[in-house]
Amino acid sequence: MQLTMHVQLADGGDYQVKTNLFTIVALERKFKIRASDLEHGVAMEHLCFLAYEASKQNEIVVPASFDDFIKRVTNIEILETDGANPSEPAQ
């Protein structure tokens, strides 16, 4: 599963970032959930965490504290989702 997110910041800045396997596993570890649970709805805290971790992985400077990152973000929008099974099953 890979998400492309658009992150808007309070200072007027914005950027796009993509998650990877590491960011998804980090989410599962921190919140004790499975990535498949996200199909039933995504909490804003989970989206913020994915954006935070993905930003760090993509060398985008973010505050050291997750809470400080959240304070800077005004909106996160999912632009694209690449599911775990992108192709149709064989018949």
Side-chain angles (χ1 to χ4, degrees):
M1 181 171 90
Q2 185 178 52
L3 301 175
T4 302
M5 296 182 284
H6 180 231
V7 180
Q8 295 174 325
L9 303 173
D11 66 6
D14 68 324
Y15 61 91
Q16 288 185 18
V17 68
K18 287 187 178 191
T19 62
N20 59 28
L21 182 60
F22 179 83
T23 56
I24 301 300
V25 171
L27 175 80
E28 290 179 333
R29 288 177 177 173
K30 178 170 179 64
F31 294 101
K32 307 293 186 232
I33 62 170
R34 294 177 301 200
S36 61
D37 294 342
L38 300 177
E39 292 178 11
H40 305 292
V42 181
M44 286 306 297
E45 185 176 23
H46 296 163
L47 281 181
C48 287
F49 184 78
L50 288 170
Y52 178 67
E53 288 298 324
S55 297
K56 292 191 302 184
Q57 288 296 309
N58 288 282
E59 299 181 3
I60 297 169
V61 178
V62 294
S65 161
F66 176 50
D67 284 344
D68 288 341
F69 174 75
I70 295 172
K71 290 175 188 175
R72 294 183 57 208
V73 174
T74 58
N75 191 41
I76 295 177
E77 179 182 4
I78 298 175
L79 301 177
E80 185 177 332
T81 304
D82 294 335
N85 299 314
S87 60
E88 293 294 319
Q91 293 192 13

PDB file of all heavy atoms in Angstrom, residues 15-47:
ATOM      1  N   TYR A  15       3.393  20.615   0.215  1.00  0.00           N
ATOM      2  CA  TYR A  15       4.205  19.655  -0.519  1.00  0.00           C
ATOM      3  C   TYR A  15       3.447  18.344  -0.659  1.00  0.00           C
ATOM      4  O   TYR A  15       2.454  18.115   0.016  1.00  0.00           O
ATOM      5  CB  TYR A  15       5.565  19.438   0.159  1.00  0.00           C
ATOM      6  CG  TYR A  15       5.502  18.896   1.573  1.00  0.00           C
ATOM      7  CD1 TYR A  15       5.521  17.527   1.817  1.00  0.00           C
ATOM      8  CD2 TYR A  15       5.444  19.752   2.673  1.00  0.00           C
ATOM      9  CE1 TYR A  15       5.484  17.022   3.116  1.00  0.00           C
ATOM     10  CE2 TYR A  15       5.403  19.263   3.971  1.00  0.00           C
ATOM     11  CZ  TYR A  15       5.422  17.898   4.178  1.00  0.00           C
ATOM     12  OH  TYR A  15       5.379  17.404   5.467  1.00  0.00           O
ATOM     13  N   GLN A  16       3.935  17.523  -1.579  1.00  0.00           N
ATOM     14  CA  GLN A  16       3.396  16.177  -1.751  1.00  0.00           C
ATOM     15  C   GLN A  16       4.434  15.187  -1.251  1.00  0.00           C
ATOM     16  O   GLN A  16       5.637  15.403  -1.404  1.00  0.00           O
ATOM     17  CB  GLN A  16       3.096  15.886  -3.220  1.00  0.00           C
ATOM     18  CG  GLN A  16       1.900  16.643  -3.735  1.00  0.00           C
ATOM     19  CD  GLN A  16       1.557  16.258  -5.155  1.00  0.00           C
ATOM     20  OE1 GLN A  16       1.979  15.230  -5.653  1.00  0.00           O
ATOM     21  NE2 GLN A  16       0.773  17.101  -5.801  1.00  0.00           N
ATOM     22  N   VAL A  17       3.945  14.099  -0.675  1.00  0.00           N
ATOM     23  CA  VAL A  17       4.836  13.076  -0.143  1.00  0.00           C
ATOM     24  C   VAL A  17       4.174  11.718  -0.333  1.00  0.00           C
ATOM     25  O   VAL A  17       2.942  11.606  -0.312  1.00  0.00           O
ATOM     26  CB  VAL A  17       5.164  13.362   1.348  1.00  0.00           C
ATOM     27  CG1 VAL A  17       3.965  13.194   2.242  1.00  0.00           C
ATOM     28  CG2 VAL A  17       6.320  12.526   1.823  1.00  0.00           C
ATOM     29  N   LYS A  18       5.005  10.701  -0.544  1.00  0.00           N
ATOM     30  CA  LYS A  18       4.507   9.328  -0.701  1.00  0.00           C
ATOM     31  C   LYS A  18       4.955   8.481   0.472  1.00  0.00           C
ATOM     32  O   LYS A  18       6.091   8.584   0.931  1.00  0.00           O
ATOM     33  CB  LYS A  18       5.048   8.694  -1.983  1.00  0.00           C
ATOM     34  CG  LYS A  18       4.417   9.226  -3.227  1.00  0.00           C
ATOM     35  CD  LYS A  18       4.866   8.433  -4.430  1.00  0.00           C
ATOM     36  CE  LYS A  18       4.170   8.954  -5.667  1.00  0.00           C
ATOM     37  NZ  LYS A  18       4.354   8.092  -6.817  1.00  0.00           N
ATOM     38  N   THR A  19       4.049   7.624   0.927  1.00  0.00           N
ATOM     39  CA  THR A  19       4.411   6.667   1.959  1.00  0.00           C
ATOM     40  C   THR A  19       5.141   5.497   1.307  1.00  0.00           C
ATOM     41  O   THR A  19       5.144   5.354   0.088  1.00  0.00           O
ATOM     42  CB  THR A  19       3.162   6.132   2.686  1.00  0.00           C
ATOM     43  OG1 THR A  19       2.336   5.448   1.736  1.00  0.00           O
ATOM     44  CG2 THR A  19       2.381   7.254   3.348  1.00  0.00           C
ATOM     45  N   ASN A  20       5.750   4.682   2.138  1.00  0.00           N
ATOM     46  CA  ASN A  20       6.367   3.440   1.665  1.00  0.00           C
ATOM     47  C   ASN A  20       6.102   2.368   2.731  1.00  0.00           C
ATOM     48  O   ASN A  20       5.396   2.619   3.715  1.00  0.00           O
ATOM     49  CB  ASN A  20       7.862   3.631   1.388  1.00  0.00           C
ATOM     50  CG  ASN A  20       8.635   4.098   2.603  1.00  0.00           C
ATOM     51  OD1 ASN A  20       8.276   3.834   3.737  1.00  0.00           O
ATOM     52  ND2 ASN A  20       9.727   4.812   2.367  1.00  0.00           N
ATOM     53  N   LEU A  21       6.643   1.194   2.528  1.00  0.00           N
ATOM     54  CA  LEU A  21       6.406   0.100   3.464  1.00  0.00           C
ATOM     55  C   LEU A  21       6.851   0.466   4.880  1.00  0.00           C
ATOM     56  O   LEU A  21       6.162   0.156   5.857  1.00  0.00           O
ATOM     57  CB  LEU A  21       7.126  -1.171   2.993  1.00  0.00           C
ATOM     58  CG  LEU A  21       6.922  -2.406   3.865  1.00  0.00           C
ATOM     59  CD1 LEU A  21       5.448  -2.788   3.942  1.00  0.00           C
ATOM     60  CD2 LEU A  21       7.739  -3.572   3.337  1.00  0.00           C
ATOM     61  N   PHE A  22       7.974   1.153   5.012  1.00  0.00           N
ATOM     62  CA  PHE A  22       8.468   1.542   6.334  1.00  0.00           C
ATOM     63  C   PHE A  22       7.451   2.416   7.070  1.00  0.00           C
ATOM     64  O   PHE A  22       7.197   2.218   8.265  1.00  0.00           O
ATOM     65  CB  PHE A  22       9.804   2.278   6.225  1.00  0.00           C
ATOM     66  CG  PHE A  22      10.341   2.709   7.561  1.00  0.00           C
ATOM     67  CD1 PHE A  22      11.056   1.828   8.349  1.00  0.00           C
ATOM     68  CD2 PHE A  22      10.109   3.990   8.037  1.00  0.00           C
ATOM     69  CE1 PHE A  22      11.537   2.216   9.594  1.00  0.00           C
ATOM     70  CE2 PHE A  22      10.579   4.380   9.275  1.00  0.00           C
ATOM     71  CZ  PHE A  22      11.298   3.498  10.051  1.00  0.00           C
ATOM     72  N   THR A  23       6.853   3.389   6.372  1.00  0.00           N
ATOM     73  CA  THR A  23       5.901   4.278   7.042  1.00  0.00           C
ATOM     74  C   THR A  23       4.644   3.527   7.467  1.00  0.00           C
ATOM     75  O   THR A  23       4.091   3.799   8.539  1.00  0.00           O
ATOM     76  CB  THR A  23       5.516   5.483   6.149  1.00  0.00           C
ATOM     77  OG1 THR A  23       5.006   5.015   4.908  1.00  0.00           O
ATOM     78  CG2 THR A  23       6.694   6.384   5.896  1.00  0.00           C
ATOM     79  N   ILE A  24       4.214   2.570   6.661  1.00  0.00           N
ATOM     80  CA  ILE A  24       3.026   1.780   7.011  1.00  0.00           C
ATOM     81  C   ILE A  24       3.317   0.909   8.236  1.00  0.00           C
ATOM     82  O   ILE A  24       2.509   0.820   9.164  1.00  0.00           O
ATOM     83  CB  ILE A  24       2.565   0.911   5.825  1.00  0.00           C
ATOM     84  CG1 ILE A  24       2.239   1.779   4.598  1.00  0.00           C
ATOM     85  CG2 ILE A  24       1.374   0.041   6.218  1.00  0.00           C
ATOM     86  CD1 ILE A  24       1.156   2.805   4.797  1.00  0.00           C
ATOM     87  N   VAL A  25       4.476   0.280   8.268  1.00  0.00           N
ATOM     88  CA  VAL A  25       4.852  -0.558   9.422  1.00  0.00           C
ATOM     89  C   VAL A  25       4.996   0.304  10.677  1.00  0.00           C
ATOM     90  O   VAL A  25       4.566  -0.083  11.768  1.00  0.00           O
ATOM     91  CB  VAL A  25       6.140  -1.358   9.129  1.00  0.00           C
ATOM     92  CG1 VAL A  25       6.649  -2.049  10.388  1.00  0.00           C
ATOM     93  CG2 VAL A  25       5.883  -2.378   8.032  1.00  0.00           C
ATOM     94  N   ALA A  26       5.559   1.496  10.535  1.00  0.00           N
ATOM     95  CA  ALA A  26       5.690   2.401  11.683  1.00  0.00           C
ATOM     96  C   ALA A  26       4.316   2.754  12.247  1.00  0.00           C
ATOM     97  O   ALA A  26       4.125   2.804  13.471  1.00  0.00           O
ATOM     98  CB  ALA A  26       6.450   3.664  11.275  1.00  0.00           C
ATOM     99  N   LEU A  27       3.337   2.974  11.363  1.00  0.00           N
ATOM    100  CA  LEU A  27       1.966   3.252  11.799  1.00  0.00           C
ATOM    101  C   LEU A  27       1.396   2.060  12.566  1.00  0.00           C
ATOM    102  O   LEU A  27       0.805   2.222  13.639  1.00  0.00           O
ATOM    103  CB  LEU A  27       1.084   3.557  10.592  1.00  0.00           C
ATOM    104  CG  LEU A  27      -0.400   3.739  10.897  1.00  0.00           C
ATOM    105  CD1 LEU A  27      -0.660   5.135  11.440  1.00  0.00           C
ATOM    106  CD2 LEU A  27      -1.240   3.476   9.674  1.00  0.00           C
ATOM    107  N   GLU A  28       1.584   0.866  12.022  1.00  0.00           N
ATOM    108  CA  GLU A  28       1.076  -0.338  12.683  1.00  0.00           C
ATOM    109  C   GLU A  28       1.701  -0.506  14.067  1.00  0.00           C
ATOM    110  O   GLU A  28       1.002  -0.851  15.032  1.00  0.00           O
ATOM    111  CB  GLU A  28       1.373  -1.572  11.834  1.00  0.00           C
ATOM    112  CG  GLU A  28       0.559  -1.647  10.562  1.00  0.00           C
ATOM    113  CD  GLU A  28       0.872  -2.868   9.722  1.00  0.00           C
ATOM    114  OE1 GLU A  28       2.011  -3.391   9.792  1.00  0.00           O
ATOM    115  OE2 GLU A  28      -0.027  -3.314   8.991  1.00  0.00           O
ATOM    116  N   ARG A  29       2.982  -0.265  14.178  1.00  0.00           N
ATOM    117  CA  ARG A  29       3.668  -0.421  15.468  1.00  0.00           C
ATOM    118  C   ARG A  29       3.211   0.614  16.483  1.00  0.00           C
ATOM    119  O   ARG A  29       2.965   0.291  17.646  1.00  0.00           O
ATOM    120  CB  ARG A  29       5.179  -0.305  15.276  1.00  0.00           C
ATOM    121  CG  ARG A  29       5.793  -1.489  14.592  1.00  0.00           C
ATOM    122  CD  ARG A  29       7.266  -1.272  14.365  1.00  0.00           C
ATOM    123  NE  ARG A  29       7.873  -2.451  13.753  1.00  0.00           N
ATOM    124  CZ  ARG A  29       9.126  -2.475  13.316  1.00  0.00           C
ATOM    125  NH1 ARG A  29       9.903  -1.416  13.403  1.00  0.00           N
ATOM    126  NH2 ARG A  29       9.594  -3.577  12.775  1.00  0.00           N
ATOM    127  N   LYS A  30       3.111   1.866  16.063  1.00  0.00           N
ATOM    128  CA  LYS A  30       2.766   2.937  17.000  1.00  0.00           C
ATOM    129  C   LYS A  30       1.335   2.824  17.505  1.00  0.00           C
ATOM    130  O   LYS A  30       1.070   2.999  18.690  1.00  0.00           O
ATOM    131  CB  LYS A  30       2.977   4.307  16.366  1.00  0.00           C
ATOM    132  CG  LYS A  30       2.587   5.460  17.290  1.00  0.00           C
ATOM    133  CD  LYS A  30       3.013   6.781  16.748  1.00  0.00           C
ATOM    134  CE  LYS A  30       2.607   7.941  17.627  1.00  0.00           C
ATOM    135  NZ  LYS A  30       3.215   7.955  18.947  1.00  0.00           N
ATOM    136  N   PHE A  31       0.395   2.532  16.583  1.00  0.00           N
ATOM    137  CA  PHE A  31      -1.020   2.543  16.955  1.00  0.00           C
ATOM    138  C   PHE A  31      -1.611   1.156  17.166  1.00  0.00           C
ATOM    139  O   PHE A  31      -2.808   1.027  17.432  1.00  0.00           O
ATOM    140  CB  PHE A  31      -1.818   3.310  15.894  1.00  0.00           C
ATOM    141  CG  PHE A  31      -1.470   4.769  15.859  1.00  0.00           C
ATOM    142  CD1 PHE A  31      -0.619   5.263  14.886  1.00  0.00           C
ATOM    143  CD2 PHE A  31      -1.961   5.644  16.809  1.00  0.00           C
ATOM    144  CE1 PHE A  31      -0.287   6.610  14.842  1.00  0.00           C
ATOM    145  CE2 PHE A  31      -1.635   6.989  16.787  1.00  0.00           C
ATOM    146  CZ  PHE A  31      -0.792   7.472  15.795  1.00  0.00           C
ATOM    147  N   LYS A  32      -0.787   0.117  17.019  1.00  0.00           N
ATOM    148  CA  LYS A  32      -1.241  -1.268  17.234  1.00  0.00           C
ATOM    149  C   LYS A  32      -2.455  -1.596  16.367  1.00  0.00           C
ATOM    150  O   LYS A  32      -3.459  -2.141  16.833  1.00  0.00           O
ATOM    151  CB  LYS A  32      -1.561  -1.524  18.707  1.00  0.00           C
ATOM    152  CG  LYS A  32      -0.449  -1.169  19.658  1.00  0.00           C
ATOM    153  CD  LYS A  32       0.743  -2.057  19.488  1.00  0.00           C
ATOM    154  CE  LYS A  32       1.765  -1.762  20.565  1.00  0.00           C
ATOM    155  NZ  LYS A  32       3.088  -1.508  20.072  1.00  0.00           N
ATOM    156  N   ILE A  33      -2.379  -1.207  15.101  1.00  0.00           N
ATOM    157  CA  ILE A  33      -3.429  -1.512  14.139  1.00  0.00           C
ATOM    158  C   ILE A  33      -2.795  -2.192  12.925  1.00  0.00           C
ATOM    159  O   ILE A  33      -1.577  -2.177  12.768  1.00  0.00           O
ATOM    160  CB  ILE A  33      -4.191  -0.253  13.675  1.00  0.00           C
ATOM    161  CG1 ILE A  33      -3.245   0.720  12.951  1.00  0.00           C
ATOM    162  CG2 ILE A  33      -4.907   0.416  14.827  1.00  0.00           C
ATOM    163  CD1 ILE A  33      -3.954   1.866  12.270  1.00  0.00           C
ATOM    164  N   ARG A  34      -3.637  -2.777  12.090  1.00  0.00           N
ATOM    165  CA  ARG A  34      -3.169  -3.349  10.828  1.00  0.00           C
ATOM    166  C   ARG A  34      -3.486  -2.361   9.713  1.00  0.00           C
ATOM    167  O   ARG A  34      -4.506  -1.656   9.775  1.00  0.00           O
ATOM    168  CB  ARG A  34      -3.848  -4.677  10.552  1.00  0.00           C
ATOM    169  CG  ARG A  34      -3.473  -5.751  11.564  1.00  0.00           C
ATOM    170  CD  ARG A  34      -4.231  -6.995  11.280  1.00  0.00           C
ATOM    171  NE  ARG A  34      -5.670  -6.663  11.360  1.00  0.00           N
ATOM    172  CZ  ARG A  34      -6.619  -7.533  11.535  1.00  0.00           C
ATOM    173  NH1 ARG A  34      -6.340  -8.807  11.594  1.00  0.00           N
ATOM    174  NH2 ARG A  34      -7.875  -7.163  11.617  1.00  0.00           N
ATOM    175  N   ALA A  35      -2.662  -2.338   8.699  1.00  0.00           N
ATOM    176  CA  ALA A  35      -2.916  -1.450   7.563  1.00  0.00           C
ATOM    177  C   ALA A  35      -4.285  -1.733   6.956  1.00  0.00           C
ATOM    178  O   ALA A  35      -4.984  -0.817   6.520  1.00  0.00           O
ATOM    179  CB  ALA A  35      -1.810  -1.601   6.524  1.00  0.00           C
ATOM    180  N   SER A  36      -4.702  -2.988   6.969  1.00  0.00           N
ATOM    181  CA  SER A  36      -6.011  -3.342   6.410  1.00  0.00           C
ATOM    182  C   SER A  36      -7.161  -2.697   7.185  1.00  0.00           C
ATOM    183  O   SER A  36      -8.247  -2.499   6.639  1.00  0.00           O
ATOM    184  CB  SER A  36      -6.187  -4.856   6.360  1.00  0.00           C
ATOM    185  OG  SER A  36      -6.125  -5.402   7.657  1.00  0.00           O
ATOM    186  N   ASP A  37      -6.937  -2.332   8.448  1.00  0.00           N
ATOM    187  CA  ASP A  37      -7.970  -1.663   9.243  1.00  0.00           C
ATOM    188  C   ASP A  37      -8.312  -0.279   8.682  1.00  0.00           C
ATOM    189  O   ASP A  37      -9.390   0.248   8.935  1.00  0.00           O
ATOM    190  CB  ASP A  37      -7.533  -1.503  10.704  1.00  0.00           C
ATOM    191  CG  ASP A  37      -7.400  -2.834  11.428  1.00  0.00           C
ATOM    192  OD1 ASP A  37      -7.958  -3.839  10.937  1.00  0.00           O
ATOM    193  OD2 ASP A  37      -6.722  -2.862  12.472  1.00  0.00           O
ATOM    194  N   LEU A  38      -7.399   0.297   7.909  1.00  0.00           N
ATOM    195  CA  LEU A  38      -7.613   1.630   7.357  1.00  0.00           C
ATOM    196  C   LEU A  38      -8.722   1.654   6.310  1.00  0.00           C
ATOM    197  O   LEU A  38      -9.260   2.709   5.993  1.00  0.00           O
ATOM    198  CB  LEU A  38      -6.307   2.174   6.765  1.00  0.00           C
ATOM    199  CG  LEU A  38      -5.136   2.303   7.738  1.00  0.00           C
ATOM    200  CD1 LEU A  38      -3.889   2.770   7.011  1.00  0.00           C
ATOM    201  CD2 LEU A  38      -5.482   3.237   8.884  1.00  0.00           C
ATOM    202  N   GLU A  39      -9.079   0.486   5.785  1.00  0.00           N
ATOM    203  CA  GLU A  39     -10.167   0.406   4.812  1.00  0.00           C
ATOM    204  C   GLU A  39     -11.501   0.822   5.413  1.00  0.00           C
ATOM    205  O   GLU A  39     -12.416   1.235   4.706  1.00  0.00           O
ATOM    206  CB  GLU A  39     -10.299  -1.019   4.269  1.00  0.00           C
ATOM    207  CG  GLU A  39      -9.147  -1.460   3.415  1.00  0.00           C
ATOM    208  CD  GLU A  39      -9.286  -2.890   2.932  1.00  0.00           C
ATOM    209  OE1 GLU A  39     -10.390  -3.480   3.083  1.00  0.00           O
ATOM    210  OE2 GLU A  39      -8.306  -3.418   2.408  1.00  0.00           O
ATOM    211  N   HIS A  40     -11.629   0.721   6.724  1.00  0.00           N
ATOM    212  CA  HIS A  40     -12.880   1.015   7.409  1.00  0.00           C
ATOM    213  C   HIS A  40     -12.946   2.453   7.907  1.00  0.00           C
ATOM    214  O   HIS A  40     -13.888   2.825   8.579  1.00  0.00           O
ATOM    215  CB  HIS A  40     -13.082   0.050   8.574  1.00  0.00           C
ATOM    216  CG  HIS A  40     -13.023  -1.382   8.151  1.00  0.00           C
ATOM    217  ND1 HIS A  40     -13.977  -1.967   7.352  1.00  0.00           N
ATOM    218  CD2 HIS A  40     -12.089  -2.337   8.375  1.00  0.00           C
ATOM    219  CE1 HIS A  40     -13.643  -3.231   7.115  1.00  0.00           C
ATOM    220  NE2 HIS A  40     -12.503  -3.475   7.726  1.00  0.00           N
ATOM    221  N   GLY A  41     -11.950   3.253   7.570  1.00  0.00           N
ATOM    222  CA  GLY A  41     -11.900   4.648   7.986  1.00  0.00           C
ATOM    223  C   GLY A  41     -10.533   4.973   8.553  1.00  0.00           C
ATOM    224  O   GLY A  41      -9.899   4.128   9.187  1.00  0.00           O
ATOM    225  N   VAL A  42     -10.106   6.181   8.290  1.00  0.00           N
ATOM    226  CA  VAL A  42      -8.777   6.609   8.706  1.00  0.00           C
ATOM    227  C   VAL A  42      -8.904   7.792   9.659  1.00  0.00           C
ATOM    228  O   VAL A  42      -9.553   8.782   9.326  1.00  0.00           O
ATOM    229  CB  VAL A  42      -7.917   7.024   7.489  1.00  0.00           C
ATOM    230  CG1 VAL A  42      -6.531   7.447   7.922  1.00  0.00           C
ATOM    231  CG2 VAL A  42      -7.837   5.888   6.488  1.00  0.00           C
ATOM    232  N   ALA A  43      -8.306   7.681  10.816  1.00  0.00           N
ATOM    233  CA  ALA A  43      -8.288   8.787  11.770  1.00  0.00           C
ATOM    234  C   ALA A  43      -7.305   9.853  11.286  1.00  0.00           C
ATOM    235  O   ALA A  43      -6.297   9.544  10.649  1.00  0.00           O
ATOM    236  CB  ALA A  43      -7.866   8.281  13.145  1.00  0.00           C
ATOM    237  N   MET A  44      -7.614  11.102  11.569  1.00  0.00           N
ATOM    238  CA  MET A  44      -6.715  12.190  11.171  1.00  0.00           C
ATOM    239  C   MET A  44      -5.336  12.021  11.804  1.00  0.00           C
ATOM    240  O   MET A  44      -4.325  12.335  11.180  1.00  0.00           O
ATOM    241  CB  MET A  44      -7.309  13.552  11.556  1.00  0.00           C
ATOM    242  CG  MET A  44      -8.459  13.974  10.656  1.00  0.00           C
ATOM    243  SD  MET A  44      -8.050  13.964   8.881  1.00  0.00           S
ATOM    244  CE  MET A  44      -6.773  15.181   8.781  1.00  0.00           C
ATOM    245  N   GLU A  45      -5.279  11.500  13.020  1.00  0.00           N
ATOM    246  CA  GLU A  45      -3.986  11.274  13.666  1.00  0.00           C
ATOM    247  C   GLU A  45      -3.158  10.284  12.852  1.00  0.00           C
ATOM    248  O   GLU A  45      -1.952  10.442  12.713  1.00  0.00           O
ATOM    249  CB  GLU A  45      -4.163  10.776  15.094  1.00  0.00           C
ATOM    250  CG  GLU A  45      -2.833  10.644  15.833  1.00  0.00           C
ATOM    251  CD  GLU A  45      -3.002  10.245  17.279  1.00  0.00           C
ATOM    252  OE1 GLU A  45      -4.037   9.657  17.646  1.00  0.00           O
ATOM    253  OE2 GLU A  45      -2.066  10.517  18.059  1.00  0.00           O
ATOM    254  N   HIS A  46      -3.806   9.267  12.296  1.00  0.00           N
ATOM    255  CA  HIS A  46      -3.092   8.282  11.479  1.00  0.00           C
ATOM    256  C   HIS A  46      -2.558   8.932  10.204  1.00  0.00           C
ATOM    257  O   HIS A  46      -1.407   8.686   9.814  1.00  0.00           O
ATOM    258  CB  HIS A  46      -4.005   7.109  11.122  1.00  0.00           C
ATOM    259  CG  HIS A  46      -4.459   6.328  12.307  1.00  0.00           C
ATOM    260  ND1 HIS A  46      -5.530   5.472  12.255  1.00  0.00           N
ATOM    261  CD2 HIS A  46      -4.002   6.272  13.579  1.00  0.00           C
ATOM    262  CE1 HIS A  46      -5.714   4.917  13.450  1.00  0.00           C
ATOM    263  NE2 HIS A  46      -4.789   5.395  14.267  1.00  0.00           N
ATOM    264  N   LEU A  47      -3.371   9.761   9.547  1.00  0.00           N
ATOM    265  CA  LEU A  47      -2.904  10.460   8.345  1.00  0.00           C
ATOM    266  C   LEU A  47      -1.736  11.384   8.673  1.00  0.00           C
ATOM    267  O   LEU A  47      -0.759  11.445   7.926  1.00  0.00           O
ATOM    268  CB  LEU A  47      -4.036  11.284   7.728  1.00  0.00           C
ATOM    269  CG  LEU A  47      -5.050  10.542   6.891  1.00  0.00           C
ATOM    270  CD1 LEU A  47      -6.075  11.517   6.332  1.00  0.00           C
ATOM    271  CD2 LEU A  47      -4.385   9.781   5.767  1.00  0.00           C
TER     272      LEU A  47
END
